[in-house]
Amino acid sequence: MKVCVVGGRVAGSLTALNLGERDAEVVVFEEHRDSGFPVSCAGLISEDCYERLRNFGVNAKQNEIKGAFFFSPSGKYVEAIGKSRGVVVERKLMDSQLLRRASKVAEVRMSSKVVGVERGEVTFIVNGREKKESFDVLVGADGVNSVVAKSFGFKRPKIFLAVQILSEFEAIDEKFVELYFGRRYSEGFFAYAVPIEEDLAKIGVVSKTNPMVYLQRLINEHPSVSERIGKGFLELNVGAIPIGLVDFVRENVALIGDSAGMVKPYTGGGIYYTLIGAEVLGKTFPNLKAFEKAYKKRMWKEYYFGEKIRKLYETLKDEDYEELVKIASDLSFEDLHMDKPSSILKFLIKNPKILKVVRFFFP
Ligand SMILES: Cc1cc2nc3c(=O)[nH]c(=O)nc-3n(C[C@H](O)[C@H](O)[C@H](O)COP(=O)(O)OP(=O)(O)OC[C@H]3O[C@@H](n4cnc5c(N)ncnc54)[C@H](O)[C@@H]3O)c2cc1C
C-alpha cells in the first residue's frame, strides 16, 4: 500500500517511521531543503517523550529541566516541581535526525512542494517542474496551514500566535523554565523563558493577538524579566499554535501533528501529542477510522482538561494570579505531570483552597 506524507518535520518523520514498520511504501514530501527550518519551537518536552524519541535516533538535548517558576504579573513567583522532568531539545537538530532515520524506511523528497491534492494523486513542484504521484493513503503532516486539510475541507483548529527570541538571559536557575502570566504579557495565554544554559534562553509569548507587542512589553517592562534580559537578541522566530483537536480522518486521508491540532491546549507543546498520534497510526494502519477512534479514546481526557486550563488564562484577572502565587507558595506540585493536564484533578482535590481563585474550573 502506498502512502504519501506531506511534510517532513516531526509529524511527517514520525509517521514515516511508524508506517515503515508496517511494510507500507511511504513517500515523504518536504518543501524545504532541510528539515527543521525555519525553527519556531522552544524545544521543551518531557523526559519520557525525549526517551521515546531517542528510540528513533534523536540525540539533541540542550538542557535538563527540573521544574517551573510561575510568575504573577507583579514579578512574584512560586517554584513548582512536578512528577515529570523536562528536556530542552535543539529542534533543528532533532528534526533532521528524525528525517534521516525516516529516510531509511521511506523515500524522502526534499525541496518538493505539494501544490495540489485530489483523491488518489498529489501534485508537487520540484526544481521548478510540476510532477504527480499517486497514493492509496494520504497523510497531511504539513502544519497549521495544511494544504491537505484545506483541499479536503477539514475543520481547522483555532490559531494562537507566537513569537520567540533567543537571548542572553540571567536565569534564576537554569534548570527551571519561567512562565509569566497576566494580561500585560499575553492575551489569553502566557509568556515564557526556557533556559538553554546559565545565561542563554528562548524567550517567547503565545497570544491570541499581537505577540510582538506583548514580547516587547515583557522585555522592557516586566519587573523581573526586564532586569535579567540582555540587550538585543540572537534569533527571532514567529509561529502559530493550533488549539483544539479537529476530526482528522476522511476516507483515505488523515491529518497528524499541527495540521490536526495535536497540541497540548494549555502549553502549545505539540511534539508529545504528535508522537502518540504517530504511534497510534502505526498500530491501527491501514484502518484510518480506527486510528482516529483509538487516538481520541486515549487522549480525550488530556484535551478536555488541557482546554479547561487554557480557558483559565482567558478568565483569570491579574489579581487572581497574584492570589494564586501567594496561595501556591506552600503547596506541593508533585502530582502534576507536564504531559497530563488531567493530573490537575488530583492536585485540586488535594488543594481545595486553589479552587477559591480557580472558581471557573468546575461548571
Ligand atoms: C514559538 C513556538 C514554540 C513552541 N514550543 C514548543 C515546545 O517547547 N515544545 C513542544 O512540544 N512544542 C512546541 N511548539 C509546537 C511545535 O513546534 C509543533 O507542535 C510541531 O513543530 C508540529 O510539528 P508538525 O510536523 O506537525 O508541523 P510543522 O513543524 O509545522 O512541520 C510541517 C512541515 O511541513 C512542510 N510543509 C508544509 N506545507 C507543505 C507543502 N505544501 N509541501 C511540502 N511540505 C510542506 C513544512 O515545510 C514543514 O517542514 C512550539 C511552537 C511555536 C510556534
Side-chain angles (χ1 to χ4, degrees), residues 163 184 210-218:
V163 57
R184 290 183 58 70
N210 297 321
M212 195 56 105
V213 170
Y214 288 112
L215 181 68
Q216 273 166 354
R217 200 177 284 153
L218 182 81

Side-chain angles (χ1 to χ4, degrees), residues 207-277:
S207 176
K208 245 184 198 171
T209 59
N210 297 321
M212 195 56 105
V213 170
Y214 288 112
L215 181 68
Q216 273 166 354
R217 200 177 284 153
L218 182 81
I219 293 169
N220 296 324
E221 296 174 25
H222 190 278
S224 178
V225 177
S226 62
E227 296 292 312
R228 297 183 284 129
I229 193 162
K231 291 207 186 326
F233 49 82
L234 306 166
E235 262 180 36
L236 168 77
N237 307 111
V238 290
I241 300 209
I243 300 290
L245 183 71
V246 294
D247 287 343
F248 52 87
V249 168
R250 276 193 184 177
E251 295 176 32
N252 63 338
V253 181
L255 306 177
I256 192 161
D258 272 14
S259 64
M262 287 182 183
V263 164
K264 297 180 211 167
Y266 66 112
T267 66
I271 298 171
Y272 182 64
Y273 284 13
T274 296
L275 173 83
I276 305 282

Side-chain angles (χ1 to χ4, degrees), residues 6-12 29-32 34-38 40-45 91 95 112-115 141-147 161-164 192 194 205-206 237-242 256-259 262-264 267-272 274:
V6 186
R9 286 188 82 180
V10 66
F29 297 89
E30 170 52 52
E31 64 180 313
H32 290 107
D34 301 310
S35 179
F37 179 82
S40 45
C41 185
L44 179 66
I45 53 178
R91 227 355 247 284
D95 286 1
S112 298
K113 184 180 172 72
V114 171
V115 289
D142 46 348
V144 279
N145 296 315
S146 171
V147 69
L161 304 171
V163 57
Q164 180 179 290
Y192 59 85
V194 174
V205 168
V206 178
N237 307 111
V238 290
I241 300 209
I256 192 161
D258 272 14
S259 64
M262 287 182 183
V263 164
K264 297 180 211 167
T267 66
I271 298 171
Y272 182 64
T274 296

Side-chain angles (χ1 to χ4, degrees), residues 110-113 124-131:
M110 302 307 288
S111 305
S112 298
K113 184 180 172 72
F124 64 102
I125 301 211
V126 58
N127 296 329
R129 293 176 59 189
E130 195 174 287
K131 294 193 171 181

Side-chain angles (χ1 to χ4, degrees), residues 18 31 56 87 157 173 183 189 194 241 250 277 322 328 357:
N18 280 277
E31 64 180 313
F56 294 116
V87 169
D173 181 329
R183 296 194 174 186
F189 224 83
V194 174
I241 300 209
R250 276 193 184 177
E322 298 298 340
V357 188

